[in-house]
C-alpha cells in the first residue's frame, strides 16, 4: 500500500511542477475589444499556445495605465498608438509610440442609435454635434417627439471617447445636460433600447433589433492590441493566435 502511494506521488509530482511552469499573459482595456476578440477565443488560444490568459475589461485608458505600471502585458484598445498619443497630448499627458508596439486586428465603426419608436431616421454631422454639445436639447428640433434628449455615453477615459473627440467633437465640449455615462458601448445599446428619448454612440459590433441606427456620421475604430516595445515571443504568439481567430 505504501509502495502504491509512493508510486502515485512520483507520477503526480512532475505534473504539479509543470502546472506551475505555465506562462501567464495578462490583458486589460477596452470592453469592445475584449468582447469581440478575447472573450470567446480565450479557451481555444490557451490550448493552442499552452499559455494561461487573464483578461479584465474596462477602458483603453485604464488598460494603458496598467501597462505603464507593469501590471499587465497587453492592452485591448479601440484606437491606434498614433490616435492614443494624440488624445494623451490634448490632456497634457505624454505617450510616445516609440515605447510601445501595436498589433492591428480589424476596423469597425461607431454609429449613433436612438429608441425604436423615435421617428428620426437621419441626422447630419452638425445635428449630431449639436446634440452632443447641448445646442440641440429636444428631439422636436430635429423632427422627433417633444422630449428632451437623453444622451448615453462612454466614460471619458474610453477609447471610443478619444475617437469621437478626434473625429467629431474636436475642440467642442461635451454637454453635461441629460448626459449619463455608462461603462461600455454595449451598455449604451441596452439603455437606449429602454428609454424613449435616448440617444448615444455605440460600436456597430453591438447593433441589434432593439434600437434604431440613425443614418449619419460614422467614426472609425481600429481594434488593436498594444504592448510595451519588443514584447516577448510568448506574448507575440498569443496575440497572433487571437488575431487569427478574429478574422
Amino acid at each position: 500500500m505504501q509502495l502504491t502511494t509512493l508510486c502515485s506521488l512520483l507520477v503526480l509530482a512532475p505534473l504539479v511542477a509543470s502546472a506551475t511552469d505555465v506562462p501567464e499573459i495578462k490583458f486589460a482595456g477596452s470592453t469592445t475589444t475584449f468582447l469581440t476578440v478575447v472573450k470567446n477565443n480565450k479557451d481555444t488560444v490557451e490550448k493552442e499556445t499552452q499559455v494561461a490568459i487573464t483578461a479584465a475589461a474596462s477602458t483603453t485608458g485604464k488598460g494603458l495605465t496598467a501597462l505603464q505600471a507593469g501590471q499587465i502585458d497587453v492592452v485591448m484598445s479601440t484606437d491606434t498608438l498614433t490616435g492614443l498619443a494624440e488624445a494623451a497630448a490634448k490632456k497634457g499627458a505624454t505617450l510616445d509610440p516609440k515605447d510601445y508596439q501595436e498589433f492591428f486586428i480589424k476596423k469597425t465603426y461607431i454609429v449613433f442609435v436612438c429608441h425604436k419608436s423615435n421617428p428620426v431616421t437621419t441626422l447630419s454631422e452638425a445635428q449630431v454635434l449639436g446634440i452632443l454639445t447641448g445646442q440641440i436639447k429636444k428631439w422636436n428640433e430635429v423632427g422627433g417627439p417633444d422630449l428632451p434628449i437623453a444622451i448615453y455615453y462612454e466614460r471619458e477615459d474610453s477609447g471610443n471617447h478619444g475617437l469621437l473627440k478626434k473625429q467629431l467633437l474636436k475642440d467642442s465640449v461635451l454637454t453635461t445636460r441629460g448626459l449619463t455615462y455608462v461603462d461600455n458601448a454595449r451598455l449604451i445599446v441596452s439603455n437606449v433600447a429602454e428609454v424613449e428619448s435616448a440617444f448615444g454612440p455605440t460600436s456597430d459590433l453591438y447593433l441589434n433589433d432593439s434600437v434604431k441606427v440613425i443614418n449619419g456620421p460614422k467614426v472609425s475604430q481600429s481594434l488593436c492590441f498594444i504592448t510595451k516595445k519588443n514584447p516577448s515571443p510568448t506574448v507575440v504568439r498569443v496575440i497572433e493566435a487571437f488575431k487569427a481567430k478574429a478574422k
Side-chain angles (χ1 to χ4, degrees), residues 174-233:
L174 187 68
T175 184
T176 58
R177 182 189 296 270
L179 178 69
T180 300
Y181 284 111
V182 298
D183 288 334
N184 57 68
R186 186 172 62 169
L187 289 176
I188 289 176
V189 172
S190 60
N191 278 279
V192 170
E194 295 177 359
V195 179
E196 186 181 359
S197 61
F199 173 82
T202 188
S203 172
D204 61 1
L205 297 166
Y206 300 136
L207 295 178
N208 56 49
D209 292 338
S210 69
V211 295
K212 178 191 288 187
V213 180
I214 293 175
N215 296 321
K218 294 181 179 180
V219 172
S220 61
Q221 290 178 305
S222 293
L223 304 191
C224 300
F225 289 135
I226 293 171
T227 67
K228 288 187 176 178
K229 188 177 181 180
N230 300 322
S232 71

Side-chain angles (χ1 to χ4, degrees), residues 86-94:
E86 291 174 355
K90 289 184 177 180
K91 295 179 180 179
T94 300

Side-chain angles (χ1 to χ4, degrees), residues 7-224:
C7 290
S8 298
L9 290 171
L10 289 172
V11 170
L12 287 173
L15 295 177
V16 172
S18 64
T20 61
D21 293 337
V22 173
E24 181 184 25
I25 303 298
K26 296 179 180 179
F27 289 70
S30 161
T31 299
T32 296
T33 304
F34 169 74
L35 293 173
T36 305
V37 182
V38 176
K39 182 181 179 182
N40 293 333
N41 298 312
K42 176 178 173 291
D43 292 345
T44 302
V45 170
E46 283 183 322
K47 290 177 183 177
E48 288 182 358
T49 62
Q50 294 298 294
V51 174
I53 297 164
T54 59
S58 54
T59 64
T60 299
K62 290 180 179 178
L64 277 171
T65 299
L67 180 68
Q68 291 164 343
Q71 298 169 343
I72 64 166
D73 305 287
V74 185
V75 178
M76 301 175 288
S77 177
T78 51
D79 200 0
T80 62
L81 271 174
T82 300
L84 293 172
E86 291 174 355
K90 289 184 177 180
K91 295 179 180 179
T94 300
L95 190 155
D96 189 346
K98 293 179 182 178
D99 295 333
Y100 302 88
Q101 188 161 334
E102 173 190 308
F103 298 83
F104 176 79
I105 304 167
K106 63 181 179 180
K107 181 162 286 189
T108 58
Y109 293 90
I110 298 171
V111 296
F112 293 89
V113 295
C114 65
H115 193 268
K116 286 183 69 173
S117 66
N118 196 322
V120 174
T121 58
T122 302
L123 291 172
S124 68
E125 182 173 316
Q127 288 173 320
V128 169
L129 187 59
I131 292 172
L132 294 179
T133 58
Q135 302 304 307
I136 297 174
K137 299 178 177 63
K138 300 183 73 173
W139 278 112
N140 60 5
E141 297 176 58
V142 290
D146 186 14
L147 293 171
I149 300 173
I151 304 171
Y152 289 88
Y153 197 88
E154 283 191 77
R155 300 188 185 281
E156 292 192 4
D157 62 349
S158 70
N160 283 356
H161 172 71
L163 292 170
L164 287 160
K165 185 70 176 173
K166 180 174 65 176
Q167 298 183 43
L168 183 63
L169 283 166
K170 299 179 181 176
D171 295 327
S172 299
V173 178
L174 187 68
T175 184
T176 58
R177 182 189 296 270
L179 178 69
T180 300
Y181 284 111
V182 298
D183 288 334
N184 57 68
R186 186 172 62 169
L187 289 176
I188 289 176
V189 172
S190 60
N191 278 279
V192 170
E194 295 177 359
V195 179
E196 186 181 359
S197 61
F199 173 82
T202 188
S203 172
D204 61 1
L205 297 166
Y206 300 136
L207 295 178
N208 56 49
D209 292 338
S210 69
V211 295
K212 178 191 288 187
V213 180
I214 293 175
N215 296 321
K218 294 181 179 180
V219 172
S220 61
Q221 290 178 305
S222 293
L223 304 191
C224 300

